[in-house]
Amino acid sequence: MSAKNKAKAKAEQAKGQLKETTGKAVGDLSMEAEGRAEKAKGDVREAAEKGRDTLKRKRGR
């Protein structure tokens, strides 16, 4: 996984977690949902990068 994309995925996950937690704390359902969505987007990005790494290894690169 490229370091740049990995960092981007982790940052997205952290930002989403922060929004979700803040939304729960203040009772803002919209912010909470937005945080969950952002976190999921980071999870998908990370999974895609891991998939690319796996394919590269299988091809011998």
Side-chain angles (χ1 to χ4, degrees), residues 13-51:
Q13 290 168 337
K15 185 178 174 185
Q17 180 65 46
L18 181 63
K19 271 188 183 179
E20 183 179 0
T21 303
T22 304
K24 281 182 185 178
V26 298
D28 186 346
L29 295 177
S30 174
M31 182 184 282
E32 187 178 340
E34 191 176 313
R36 274 195 306 270
E38 232 173 277
K39 193 165 67 169
K41 186 177 174 186
D43 291 342
V44 169
R45 184 185 305 270
E46 183 176 39
E49 286 299 315
K50 284 182 180 181

